[in-house]
Amino acid sequence: MQNITSRKELRNAILQLEEKQMLQGQLLKDQFNSTVDQFRVLGWIKSAIKVATLPGAMDKLLGTTLGLTAWALSKKLFVGRSGSPLRKVIGTLLQYGMMYVVVKYPEIIKSTGLGLFHKVFTKRKSGE
């Protein structure tokens, strides 16, 4: 900034700073409102719907859900409440292995799961 030597220059500098402050204040208010909208539940739901409608999003979501479910089940089955360090290590390795397979090949697991679901829950004909 330059040196101010007269009252007129001082008044002009003050006006410029007030204008800059007003512009920055409006930008700050706009950013605040945008941030508040992002934290509202309705905003989250809208974002989730936008993401869910993207091509392939449901398959990725299903794969991730299957992976987390497999991880939780394998933790219960293999690790449980065991106090044995060896069993915990083996259980952890099995967990990561199962989760890797589920996340890497969700379509195979999904088709197998649907086939099993239909076999279990579909009514059989009386002749079978």
Side-chain angles (χ1 to χ4, degrees), residues 29-81:
K29 286 178 188 177
D30 292 343
Q31 182 63 41
F32 174 78
N33 290 331
S34 174
T35 304
V36 168
D37 286 342
Q38 289 177 353
F39 283 110
R40 290 193 179 130
V41 174
L42 185 59
W44 286 0
I45 292 171
K46 286 180 184 177
S47 302
I49 290 172
K50 286 179 186 176
V51 169
T53 57
L54 294 174
M58 291 307 286
D59 288 335
K60 289 180 183 177
L61 181 64
L62 180 63
T64 303
T65 303
L66 286 172
L68 290 173
T69 303
W71 178 77
L73 286 174
S74 64
K75 182 175 181 178
K76 286 285 186 185
L77 292 174
F78 299 123
V79 178
R81 294 185 181 202

mmCIF file of all heavy atoms in Angstrom, residues 29-81:
data_model
loop_
_atom_site.group_PDB
_atom_site.id
_atom_site.type_symbol
_atom_site.label_atom_id
_atom_site.label_comp_id
_atom_site.label_asym_id
_atom_site.label_seq_id
_atom_site.Cartn_x
_atom_site.Cartn_y
_atom_site.Cartn_z
ATOM 1 N N LYS A 29 -20.310 -15.258 4.060
ATOM 2 C CA LYS A 29 -21.686 -15.690 4.323
ATOM 3 C C LYS A 29 -22.104 -16.792 3.350
ATOM 4 O O LYS A 29 -22.740 -17.775 3.756
ATOM 5 C CB LYS A 29 -22.646 -14.514 4.203
ATOM 6 C CG LYS A 29 -22.581 -13.540 5.354
ATOM 7 C CD LYS A 29 -23.524 -12.379 5.124
ATOM 8 C CE LYS A 29 -23.338 -11.299 6.163
ATOM 9 N NZ LYS A 29 -24.213 -10.143 5.897
ATOM 10 N N ASP A 30 -21.762 -16.637 2.079
ATOM 11 C CA ASP A 30 -22.114 -17.654 1.085
ATOM 12 C C ASP A 30 -21.439 -18.986 1.397
ATOM 13 O O ASP A 30 -22.065 -20.043 1.313
ATOM 14 C CB ASP A 30 -21.729 -17.194 -0.323
ATOM 15 C CG ASP A 30 -22.568 -16.018 -0.808
ATOM 16 O OD1 ASP A 30 -23.643 -15.763 -0.216
ATOM 17 O OD2 ASP A 30 -22.133 -15.357 -1.774
ATOM 18 N N GLN A 31 -20.176 -18.938 1.764
ATOM 19 C CA GLN A 31 -19.448 -20.167 2.105
ATOM 20 C C GLN A 31 -20.030 -20.807 3.359
ATOM 21 O O GLN A 31 -20.165 -22.021 3.436
ATOM 22 C CB GLN A 31 -17.958 -19.861 2.314
ATOM 23 C CG GLN A 31 -17.132 -21.077 2.627
ATOM 24 C CD GLN A 31 -17.127 -22.097 1.500
ATOM 25 O OE1 GLN A 31 -17.052 -21.739 0.335
ATOM 26 N NE2 GLN A 31 -17.222 -23.369 1.843
ATOM 27 N N PHE A 32 -20.399 -20.003 4.333
ATOM 28 C CA PHE A 32 -21.006 -20.526 5.555
ATOM 29 C C PHE A 32 -22.323 -21.232 5.246
ATOM 30 O O PHE A 32 -22.569 -22.348 5.723
ATOM 31 C CB PHE A 32 -21.236 -19.389 6.562
ATOM 32 C CG PHE A 32 -21.982 -19.821 7.787
ATOM 33 C CD1 PHE A 32 -21.331 -20.518 8.791
ATOM 34 C CD2 PHE A 32 -23.338 -19.543 7.939
ATOM 35 C CE1 PHE A 32 -22.012 -20.933 9.927
ATOM 36 C CE2 PHE A 32 -24.027 -19.948 9.068
ATOM 37 C CZ PHE A 32 -23.361 -20.645 10.064
ATOM 38 N N ASN A 33 -23.177 -20.610 4.448
ATOM 39 C CA ASN A 33 -24.456 -21.220 4.082
ATOM 40 C C ASN A 33 -24.250 -22.516 3.312
ATOM 41 O O ASN A 33 -24.974 -23.493 3.519
ATOM 42 C CB ASN A 33 -25.311 -20.241 3.277
ATOM 43 C CG ASN A 33 -25.821 -19.093 4.119
ATOM 44 O OD1 ASN A 33 -26.018 -19.245 5.327
ATOM 45 N ND2 ASN A 33 -26.022 -17.943 3.513
ATOM 46 N N SER A 34 -23.274 -22.538 2.446
ATOM 47 C CA SER A 34 -22.972 -23.765 1.699
ATOM 48 C C SER A 34 -22.513 -24.876 2.641
ATOM 49 O O SER A 34 -22.933 -26.035 2.512
ATOM 50 C CB SER A 34 -21.887 -23.473 0.664
ATOM 51 O OG SER A 34 -21.479 -24.647 0.026
ATOM 52 N N THR A 35 -21.689 -24.533 3.600
ATOM 53 C CA THR A 35 -21.204 -25.516 4.565
ATOM 54 C C THR A 35 -22.332 -26.033 5.447
ATOM 55 O O THR A 35 -22.428 -27.228 5.715
ATOM 56 C CB THR A 35 -20.089 -24.897 5.437
ATOM 57 O OG1 THR A 35 -19.049 -24.413 4.584
ATOM 58 C CG2 THR A 35 -19.523 -25.902 6.404
ATOM 59 N N VAL A 36 -23.208 -25.150 5.881
ATOM 60 C CA VAL A 36 -24.351 -25.552 6.711
ATOM 61 C C VAL A 36 -25.242 -26.510 5.926
ATOM 62 O O VAL A 36 -25.706 -27.519 6.462
ATOM 63 C CB VAL A 36 -25.138 -24.315 7.199
ATOM 64 C CG1 VAL A 36 -26.481 -24.707 7.797
ATOM 65 C CG2 VAL A 36 -24.323 -23.551 8.228
ATOM 66 N N ASP A 37 -25.477 -26.225 4.643
ATOM 67 C CA ASP A 37 -26.301 -27.107 3.819
ATOM 68 C C ASP A 37 -25.687 -28.498 3.702
ATOM 69 O O ASP A 37 -26.396 -29.497 3.669
ATOM 70 C CB ASP A 37 -26.491 -26.520 2.422
ATOM 71 C CG ASP A 37 -27.460 -25.350 2.422
ATOM 72 O OD1 ASP A 37 -28.223 -25.215 3.406
ATOM 73 O OD2 ASP A 37 -27.448 -24.579 1.442
ATOM 74 N N GLN A 38 -24.376 -28.566 3.643
ATOM 75 C CA GLN A 38 -23.714 -29.865 3.525
ATOM 76 C C GLN A 38 -23.890 -30.693 4.793
ATOM 77 O O GLN A 38 -23.891 -31.918 4.738
ATOM 78 C CB GLN A 38 -22.233 -29.691 3.228
ATOM 79 C CG GLN A 38 -21.975 -29.194 1.824
ATOM 80 C CD GLN A 38 -20.500 -28.961 1.565
ATOM 81 O OE1 GLN A 38 -19.680 -29.051 2.462
ATOM 82 N NE2 GLN A 38 -20.164 -28.642 0.336
ATOM 83 N N PHE A 39 -24.028 -30.050 5.934
ATOM 84 C CA PHE A 39 -24.145 -30.779 7.188
ATOM 85 C C PHE A 39 -25.586 -31.129 7.544
ATOM 86 O O PHE A 39 -25.829 -31.884 8.469
ATOM 87 C CB PHE A 39 -23.506 -30.001 8.339
ATOM 88 C CG PHE A 39 -22.014 -30.077 8.333
ATOM 89 C CD1 PHE A 39 -21.250 -28.975 8.021
ATOM 90 C CD2 PHE A 39 -21.377 -31.270 8.611
ATOM 91 C CE1 PHE A 39 -19.874 -29.050 8.012
ATOM 92 C CE2 PHE A 39 -20.002 -31.350 8.600
ATOM 93 C CZ PHE A 39 -19.252 -30.243 8.299
ATOM 94 N N ARG A 40 -26.522 -30.619 6.834
ATOM 95 C CA ARG A 40 -27.920 -30.961 7.095
ATOM 96 C C ARG A 40 -28.198 -32.373 6.586
ATOM 97 O O ARG A 40 -27.647 -32.830 5.593
ATOM 98 C CB ARG A 40 -28.840 -29.971 6.413
ATOM 99 C CG ARG A 40 -28.800 -28.618 7.066
ATOM 100 C CD ARG A 40 -29.941 -27.757 6.586
ATOM 101 N NE ARG A 40 -29.882 -26.472 7.265
ATOM 102 C CZ ARG A 40 -29.946 -25.318 6.648
ATOM 103 N NH1 ARG A 40 -30.098 -25.267 5.347
ATOM 104 N NH2 ARG A 40 -29.871 -24.203 7.336
ATOM 105 N N VAL A 41 -29.071 -33.048 7.260
ATOM 106 C CA VAL A 41 -29.417 -34.426 6.910
ATOM 107 C C VAL A 41 -29.990 -34.490 5.498
ATOM 108 O O VAL A 41 -29.668 -35.384 4.725
ATOM 109 C CB VAL A 41 -30.409 -35.010 7.934
ATOM 110 C CG1 VAL A 41 -30.887 -36.376 7.512
ATOM 111 C CG2 VAL A 41 -29.769 -35.068 9.305
ATOM 112 N N LEU A 42 -30.823 -33.530 5.158
ATOM 113 C CA LEU A 42 -31.412 -33.521 3.828
ATOM 114 C C LEU A 42 -30.328 -33.400 2.761
ATOM 115 O O LEU A 42 -30.400 -34.050 1.715
ATOM 116 C CB LEU A 42 -32.415 -32.373 3.697
ATOM 117 C CG LEU A 42 -33.205 -32.299 2.406
ATOM 118 C CD1 LEU A 42 -33.997 -33.594 2.215
ATOM 119 C CD2 LEU A 42 -34.140 -31.118 2.411
ATOM 120 N N GLY A 43 -29.318 -32.605 3.048
ATOM 121 C CA GLY A 43 -28.197 -32.493 2.117
ATOM 122 C C GLY A 43 -27.465 -33.811 1.956
ATOM 123 O O GLY A 43 -27.045 -34.177 0.854
ATOM 124 N N TRP A 44 -27.312 -34.531 3.055
ATOM 125 C CA TRP A 44 -26.657 -35.847 2.992
ATOM 126 C C TRP A 44 -27.479 -36.813 2.152
ATOM 127 O O TRP A 44 -26.951 -37.581 1.368
ATOM 128 C CB TRP A 44 -26.459 -36.408 4.380
ATOM 129 C CG TRP A 44 -25.362 -35.758 5.160
ATOM 130 C CD1 TRP A 44 -24.546 -34.754 4.762
ATOM 131 C CD2 TRP A 44 -24.965 -36.089 6.488
ATOM 132 N NE1 TRP A 44 -23.681 -34.429 5.770
ATOM 133 C CE2 TRP A 44 -23.919 -35.231 6.840
ATOM 134 C CE3 TRP A 44 -25.422 -37.004 7.414
ATOM 135 C CZ2 TRP A 44 -23.293 -35.280 8.068
ATOM 136 C CZ3 TRP A 44 -24.795 -37.046 8.634
ATOM 137 C CH2 TRP A 44 -23.744 -36.199 8.962
ATOM 138 N N ILE A 45 -28.799 -36.764 2.352
ATOM 139 C CA ILE A 45 -29.667 -37.667 1.599
ATOM 140 C C ILE A 45 -29.598 -37.339 0.109
ATOM 141 O O ILE A 45 -29.489 -38.242 -0.733
ATOM 142 C CB ILE A 45 -31.118 -37.583 2.129
ATOM 143 C CG1 ILE A 45 -31.178 -38.158 3.541
ATOM 144 C CG2 ILE A 45 -32.083 -38.308 1.208
ATOM 145 C CD1 ILE A 45 -32.492 -37.937 4.237
ATOM 146 N N LYS A 46 -29.634 -36.059 -0.226
ATOM 147 C CA LYS A 46 -29.531 -35.663 -1.635
ATOM 148 C C LYS A 46 -28.205 -36.123 -2.230
ATOM 149 O O LYS A 46 -28.157 -36.630 -3.351
ATOM 150 C CB LYS A 46 -29.656 -34.148 -1.771
ATOM 151 C CG LYS A 46 -31.053 -33.625 -1.568
ATOM 152 C CD LYS A 46 -31.071 -32.109 -1.712
ATOM 153 C CE LYS A 46 -32.426 -31.527 -1.427
ATOM 154 N NZ LYS A 46 -32.430 -30.055 -1.496
ATOM 155 N N SER A 47 -27.129 -35.950 -1.490
ATOM 156 C CA SER A 47 -25.819 -36.384 -1.964
ATOM 157 C C SER A 47 -25.784 -37.893 -2.159
ATOM 158 O O SER A 47 -25.240 -38.389 -3.145
ATOM 159 C CB SER A 47 -24.723 -35.988 -0.974
ATOM 160 O OG SER A 47 -24.708 -34.621 -0.776
ATOM 161 N N ALA A 48 -26.371 -38.620 -1.224
ATOM 162 C CA ALA A 48 -26.385 -40.079 -1.331
ATOM 163 C C ALA A 48 -27.181 -40.526 -2.543
ATOM 164 O O ALA A 48 -26.789 -41.468 -3.240
ATOM 165 C CB ALA A 48 -26.964 -40.691 -0.063
ATOM 166 N N ILE A 49 -28.293 -39.866 -2.818
ATOM 167 C CA ILE A 49 -29.103 -40.217 -3.980
ATOM 168 C C ILE A 49 -28.336 -39.927 -5.266
ATOM 169 O O ILE A 49 -28.348 -40.725 -6.203
ATOM 170 C CB ILE A 49 -30.451 -39.475 -3.944
ATOM 171 C CG1 ILE A 49 -31.309 -40.040 -2.809
ATOM 172 C CG2 ILE A 49 -31.182 -39.587 -5.272
ATOM 173 C CD1 ILE A 49 -32.573 -39.254 -2.551
ATOM 174 N N LYS A 50 -27.634 -38.796 -5.304
ATOM 175 C CA LYS A 50 -26.838 -38.473 -6.492
ATOM 176 C C LYS A 50 -25.761 -39.520 -6.720
ATOM 177 O O LYS A 50 -25.531 -39.961 -7.838
ATOM 178 C CB LYS A 50 -26.200 -37.091 -6.341
ATOM 179 C CG LYS A 50 -27.158 -35.953 -6.510
ATOM 180 C CD LYS A 50 -26.443 -34.628 -6.328
ATOM 181 C CE LYS A 50 -27.418 -33.474 -6.342
ATOM 182 N NZ LYS A 50 -26.757 -32.192 -6.073
ATOM 183 N N VAL A 51 -25.089 -39.923 -5.654
ATOM 184 C CA VAL A 51 -24.023 -40.916 -5.778
ATOM 185 C C VAL A 51 -24.591 -42.276 -6.152
ATOM 186 O O VAL A 51 -24.036 -42.993 -6.980
ATOM 187 C CB VAL A 51 -23.214 -41.002 -4.466
ATOM 188 C CG1 VAL A 51 -22.281 -42.190 -4.468
ATOM 189 C CG2 VAL A 51 -22.434 -39.723 -4.252
ATOM 190 N N ALA A 52 -25.732 -42.633 -5.572
ATOM 191 C CA ALA A 52 -26.326 -43.948 -5.825
ATOM 192 C C ALA A 52 -26.820 -44.086 -7.251
ATOM 193 O O ALA A 52 -26.907 -45.194 -7.773
ATOM 194 C CB ALA A 52 -27.460 -44.214 -4.847
ATOM 195 N N THR A 53 -27.146 -42.969 -7.901
ATOM 196 C CA THR A 53 -27.641 -43.045 -9.271
ATOM 197 C C THR A 53 -26.531 -43.082 -10.301
ATOM 198 O O THR A 53 -26.799 -43.261 -11.480
ATOM 199 C CB THR A 53 -28.582 -41.867 -9.578
ATOM 200 O OG1 THR A 53 -27.881 -40.644 -9.341
ATOM 201 C CG2 THR A 53 -29.829 -41.928 -8.717
ATOM 202 N N LEU A 54 -25.288 -42.935 -9.881
ATOM 203 C CA LEU A 54 -24.171 -43.036 -10.816
ATOM 204 C C LEU A 54 -24.035 -44.471 -11.306
ATOM 205 O O LEU A 54 -24.309 -45.421 -10.561
ATOM 206 C CB LEU A 54 -22.867 -42.593 -10.144
ATOM 207 C CG LEU A 54 -22.774 -41.129 -9.743
ATOM 208 C CD1 LEU A 54 -21.490 -40.893 -8.960
ATOM 209 C CD2 LEU A 54 -22.816 -40.233 -10.957
ATOM 210 N N PRO A 55 -23.605 -44.664 -12.563
ATOM 211 C CA PRO A 55 -23.460 -46.024 -13.079
ATOM 212 C C PRO A 55 -22.426 -46.811 -12.281
ATOM 213 O O PRO A 55 -21.319 -46.329 -12.033
ATOM 214 C CB PRO A 55 -22.995 -45.831 -14.516
ATOM 215 C CG PRO A 55 -23.052 -44.378 -14.801
ATOM 216 C CD PRO A 55 -23.280 -43.652 -13.529
ATOM 217 N N GLY A 56 -22.788 -48.008 -11.885
ATOM 218 C CA GLY A 56 -21.869 -48.882 -11.170
ATOM 219 C C GLY A 56 -21.764 -48.610 -9.680
ATOM 220 O O GLY A 56 -21.056 -49.321 -8.972
ATOM 221 N N ALA A 57 -22.451 -47.592 -9.201
ATOM 222 C CA ALA A 57 -22.337 -47.231 -7.783
ATOM 223 C C ALA A 57 -22.936 -48.301 -6.885
ATOM 224 O O ALA A 57 -22.391 -48.609 -5.826
ATOM 225 C CB ALA A 57 -23.000 -45.886 -7.519
ATOM 226 N N MET A 58 -24.046 -48.862 -7.296
ATOM 227 C CA MET A 58 -24.693 -49.871 -6.459
ATOM 228 C C MET A 58 -23.840 -51.139 -6.361
ATOM 229 O O MET A 58 -23.786 -51.770 -5.312
ATOM 230 C CB MET A 58 -26.094 -50.208 -6.995
ATOM 231 C CG MET A 58 -27.077 -49.068 -6.833
ATOM 232 S SD MET A 58 -27.185 -48.419 -5.160
ATOM 233 C CE MET A 58 -28.087 -49.716 -4.368
ATOM 234 N N ASP A 59 -23.170 -51.498 -7.447
ATOM 235 C CA ASP A 59 -22.296 -52.671 -7.400
ATOM 236 C C ASP A 59 -21.129 -52.434 -6.443
ATOM 237 O O ASP A 59 -20.762 -53.311 -5.674
ATOM 238 C CB ASP A 59 -21.765 -53.010 -8.792
ATOM 239 C CG ASP A 59 -22.848 -53.587 -9.689
ATOM 240 O OD1 ASP A 59 -23.824 -54.151 -9.149
ATOM 241 O OD2 ASP A 59 -22.711 -53.473 -10.922
ATOM 242 N N LYS A 60 -20.565 -51.235 -6.490
ATOM 243 C CA LYS A 60 -19.467 -50.919 -5.579
ATOM 244 C C LYS A 60 -19.951 -50.895 -4.135
ATOM 245 O O LYS A 60 -19.275 -51.384 -3.239
ATOM 246 C CB LYS A 60 -18.841 -49.578 -5.950
ATOM 247 C CG LYS A 60 -18.054 -49.618 -7.235
ATOM 248 C CD LYS A 60 -17.463 -48.272 -7.564
ATOM 249 C CE LYS A 60 -16.741 -48.337 -8.888
ATOM 250 N NZ LYS A 60 -16.212 -47.039 -9.288
ATOM 251 N N LEU A 61 -21.129 -50.327 -3.936
ATOM 252 C CA LEU A 61 -21.699 -50.280 -2.593
ATOM 253 C C LEU A 61 -21.981 -51.687 -2.084
ATOM 254 O O LEU A 61 -21.686 -52.010 -0.930
ATOM 255 C CB LEU A 61 -22.981 -49.448 -2.588
ATOM 256 C CG LEU A 61 -23.687 -49.295 -1.257
ATOM 257 C CD1 LEU A 61 -22.795 -48.525 -0.280
ATOM 258 C CD2 LEU A 61 -25.000 -48.563 -1.434
ATOM 259 N N LEU A 62 -22.527 -52.540 -2.950
ATOM 260 C CA LEU A 62 -22.806 -53.913 -2.564
ATOM 261 C C LEU A 62 -21.510 -54.658 -2.240
ATOM 262 O O LEU A 62 -21.427 -55.389 -1.253
ATOM 263 C CB LEU A 62 -23.567 -54.640 -3.675
ATOM 264 C CG LEU A 62 -23.925 -56.086 -3.394
ATOM 265 C CD1 LEU A 62 -24.867 -56.181 -2.197
ATOM 266 C CD2 LEU A 62 -24.550 -56.720 -4.610
ATOM 267 N N GLY A 63 -20.479 -54.443 -3.054
ATOM 268 C CA GLY A 63 -19.191 -55.090 -2.800
ATOM 269 C C GLY A 63 -18.592 -54.656 -1.474
ATOM 270 O O GLY A 63 -18.086 -55.481 -0.706
ATOM 271 N N THR A 64 -18.664 -53.382 -1.196
ATOM 272 C CA THR A 64 -18.137 -52.875 0.066
ATOM 273 C C THR A 64 -18.935 -53.414 1.244
ATOM 274 O O THR A 64 -18.368 -53.819 2.261
ATOM 275 C CB THR A 64 -18.164 -51.338 0.070
ATOM 276 O OG1 THR A 64 -17.426 -50.868 -1.058
ATOM 277 C CG2 THR A 64 -17.569 -50.776 1.331
ATOM 278 N N THR A 65 -20.254 -53.441 1.094
ATOM 279 C CA THR A 65 -21.108 -53.968 2.169
ATOM 280 C C THR A 65 -20.820 -55.444 2.409
ATOM 281 O O THR A 65 -20.710 -55.888 3.560
ATOM 282 C CB THR A 65 -22.594 -53.770 1.812
ATOM 283 O OG1 THR A 65 -22.811 -52.378 1.576
ATOM 284 C CG2 THR A 65 -23.493 -54.240 2.928
ATOM 285 N N LEU A 66 -20.689 -56.205 1.330
ATOM 286 C CA LEU A 66 -20.357 -57.621 1.484
ATOM 287 C C LEU A 66 -18.991 -57.801 2.150
ATOM 288 O O LEU A 66 -18.813 -58.679 2.994
ATOM 289 C CB LEU A 66 -20.366 -58.318 0.121
ATOM 290 C CG LEU A 66 -21.730 -58.596 -0.496
ATOM 291 C CD1 LEU A 66 -21.565 -59.109 -1.922
ATOM 292 C CD2 LEU A 66 -22.510 -59.580 0.333
ATOM 293 N N GLY A 67 -18.039 -56.962 1.778
ATOM 294 C CA GLY A 67 -16.708 -57.047 2.374
ATOM 295 C C GLY A 67 -16.730 -56.771 3.861
ATOM 296 O O GLY A 67 -16.112 -57.497 4.655
ATOM 297 N N LEU A 68 -17.437 -55.737 4.257
ATOM 298 C CA LEU A 68 -17.515 -55.414 5.681
ATOM 299 C C LEU A 68 -18.282 -56.480 6.463
ATOM 300 O O LEU A 68 -17.921 -56.814 7.589
ATOM 301 C CB LEU A 68 -18.170 -54.044 5.869
ATOM 302 C CG LEU A 68 -17.325 -52.858 5.410
ATOM 303 C CD1 LEU A 68 -18.142 -51.571 5.476
ATOM 304 C CD2 LEU A 68 -16.060 -52.733 6.225
ATOM 305 N N THR A 69 -19.333 -57.017 5.841
ATOM 306 C CA THR A 69 -20.089 -58.085 6.497
ATOM 307 C C THR A 69 -19.223 -59.324 6.672
ATOM 308 O O THR A 69 -19.214 -59.947 7.742
ATOM 309 C CB THR A 69 -21.344 -58.423 5.680
ATOM 310 O OG1 THR A 69 -22.112 -57.224 5.522
ATOM 311 C CG2 THR A 69 -22.182 -59.476 6.362
ATOM 312 N N ALA A 70 -18.487 -59.684 5.625
ATOM 313 C CA ALA A 70 -17.598 -60.845 5.718
ATOM 314 C C ALA A 70 -16.535 -60.612 6.781
ATOM 315 O O ALA A 70 -16.179 -61.534 7.529
ATOM 316 C CB ALA A 70 -16.942 -61.111 4.368
ATOM 317 N N TRP A 71 -16.027 -59.401 6.864
ATOM 318 C CA TRP A 71 -15.005 -59.092 7.866
ATOM 319 C C TRP A 71 -15.577 -59.263 9.275
ATOM 320 O O TRP A 71 -14.959 -59.876 10.134
ATOM 321 C CB TRP A 71 -14.507 -57.668 7.644
ATOM 322 C CG TRP A 71 -13.487 -57.227 8.641
ATOM 323 C CD1 TRP A 71 -12.171 -57.565 8.672
ATOM 324 C CD2 TRP A 71 -13.700 -56.385 9.775
ATOM 325 N NE1 TRP A 71 -11.557 -56.974 9.738
ATOM 326 C CE2 TRP A 71 -12.473 -56.248 10.439
ATOM 327 C CE3 TRP A 71 -14.811 -55.737 10.286
ATOM 328 C CZ2 TRP A 71 -12.326 -55.487 11.571
ATOM 329 C CZ3 TRP A 71 -14.660 -54.973 11.415
ATOM 330 C CH2 TRP A 71 -13.419 -54.864 12.049
ATOM 331 N N ALA A 72 -16.780 -58.735 9.494
ATOM 332 C CA ALA A 72 -17.388 -58.828 10.828
ATOM 333 C C ALA A 72 -17.705 -60.277 11.189
ATOM 334 O O ALA A 72 -17.453 -60.715 12.322
ATOM 335 C CB ALA A 72 -18.652 -57.976 10.886
ATOM 336 N N LEU A 73 -18.249 -61.038 10.229
ATOM 337 C CA LEU A 73 -18.562 -62.442 10.500
ATOM 338 C C LEU A 73 -17.306 -63.260 10.755
ATOM 339 O O LEU A 73 -17.274 -64.092 11.664
ATOM 340 C CB LEU A 73 -19.353 -63.039 9.336
ATOM 341 C CG LEU A 73 -20.806 -62.593 9.222
ATOM 342 C CD1 LEU A 73 -21.426 -63.146 7.949
ATOM 343 C CD2 LEU A 73 -21.600 -63.033 10.432
ATOM 344 N N SER A 74 -16.277 -63.017 9.960
ATOM 345 C CA SER A 74 -15.051 -63.786 10.165
ATOM 346 C C SER A 74 -14.400 -63.427 11.494
ATOM 347 O O SER A 74 -13.784 -64.275 12.131
ATOM 348 C CB SER A 74 -14.078 -63.563 9.009
ATOM 349 O OG SER A 74 -13.671 -62.215 8.953
ATOM 350 N N LYS A 75 -14.561 -62.201 11.924
ATOM 351 C CA LYS A 75 -14.023 -61.824 13.229
ATOM 352 C C LYS A 75 -14.737 -62.606 14.329
ATOM 353 O O LYS A 75 -14.102 -63.129 15.246
ATOM 354 C CB LYS A 75 -14.183 -60.326 13.454
ATOM 355 C CG LYS A 75 -13.594 -59.866 14.768
ATOM 356 C CD LYS A 75 -13.664 -58.370 14.922
ATOM 357 C CE LYS A 75 -13.030 -57.969 16.239
ATOM 358 N NZ LYS A 75 -13.026 -56.541 16.427
ATOM 359 N N LYS A 76 -16.055 -62.692 14.217
ATOM 360 C CA LYS A 76 -16.816 -63.444 15.216
ATOM 361 C C LYS A 76 -16.463 -64.931 15.172
ATOM 362 O O LYS A 76 -16.313 -65.569 16.205
ATOM 363 C CB LYS A 76 -18.325 -63.278 14.979
ATOM 364 C CG LYS A 76 -18.862 -61.948 15.383
ATOM 365 C CD LYS A 76 -18.965 -61.878 16.880
ATOM 366 C CE LYS A 76 -19.646 -60.589 17.292
ATOM 367 N NZ LYS A 76 -19.671 -60.400 18.697
ATOM 368 N N LEU A 77 -16.343 -65.475 13.966
ATOM 369 C CA LEU A 77 -16.093 -66.916 13.833
ATOM 370 C C LEU A 77 -14.667 -67.306 14.201
ATOM 371 O O LEU A 77 -14.448 -68.276 14.926
ATOM 372 C CB LEU A 77 -16.380 -67.368 12.394
ATOM 373 C CG LEU A 77 -17.835 -67.333 11.956
ATOM 374 C CD1 LEU A 77 -17.939 -67.659 10.472
ATOM 375 C CD2 LEU A 77 -18.653 -68.324 12.768
ATOM 376 N N PHE A 78 -13.696 -66.595 13.679
ATOM 377 C CA PHE A 78 -12.307 -67.028 13.820
ATOM 378 C C PHE A 78 -11.610 -66.472 15.054
ATOM 379 O O PHE A 78 -10.794 -67.143 15.664
ATOM 380 C CB PHE A 78 -11.506 -66.662 12.572
ATOM 381 C CG PHE A 78 -12.019 -67.315 11.334
ATOM 382 C CD1 PHE A 78 -12.403 -66.569 10.242
ATOM 383 C CD2 PHE A 78 -12.131 -68.696 11.245
ATOM 384 C CE1 PHE A 78 -12.877 -67.171 9.100
ATOM 385 C CE2 PHE A 78 -12.606 -69.297 10.102
ATOM 386 C CZ PHE A 78 -12.986 -68.535 9.025
ATOM 387 N N VAL A 79 -11.904 -65.243 15.405
ATOM 388 C CA VAL A 79 -11.208 -64.635 16.533
ATOM 389 C C VAL A 79 -12.030 -64.794 17.799
ATOM 390 O O VAL A 79 -11.545 -65.294 18.811
ATOM 391 C CB VAL A 79 -10.903 -63.146 16.256
ATOM 392 C CG1 VAL A 79 -10.223 -62.519 17.452
ATOM 393 C CG2 VAL A 79 -10.044 -63.000 15.021
ATOM 394 N N GLY A 80 -13.296 -64.387 17.744
ATOM 395 C CA GLY A 80 -14.170 -64.516 18.906
ATOM 396 C C GLY A 80 -13.578 -63.834 20.125
ATOM 397 O O GLY A 80 -13.010 -62.764 20.052
ATOM 398 N N ARG A 81 -13.681 -64.497 21.246
ATOM 399 C CA ARG A 81 -13.128 -63.951 22.495
ATOM 400 C C ARG A 81 -11.899 -64.740 22.915
ATOM 401 O O ARG A 81 -11.608 -64.862 24.089
ATOM 402 C CB ARG A 81 -14.182 -63.986 23.584
ATOM 403 C CG ARG A 81 -15.336 -63.075 23.295
ATOM 404 C CD ARG A 81 -16.283 -63.057 24.440
ATOM 405 N NE ARG A 81 -17.407 -62.181 24.140
ATOM 406 C CZ ARG A 81 -18.163 -61.639 25.045
ATOM 407 N NH1 ARG A 81 -17.952 -61.880 26.313
ATOM 408 N NH2 ARG A 81 -19.160 -60.862 24.708
#
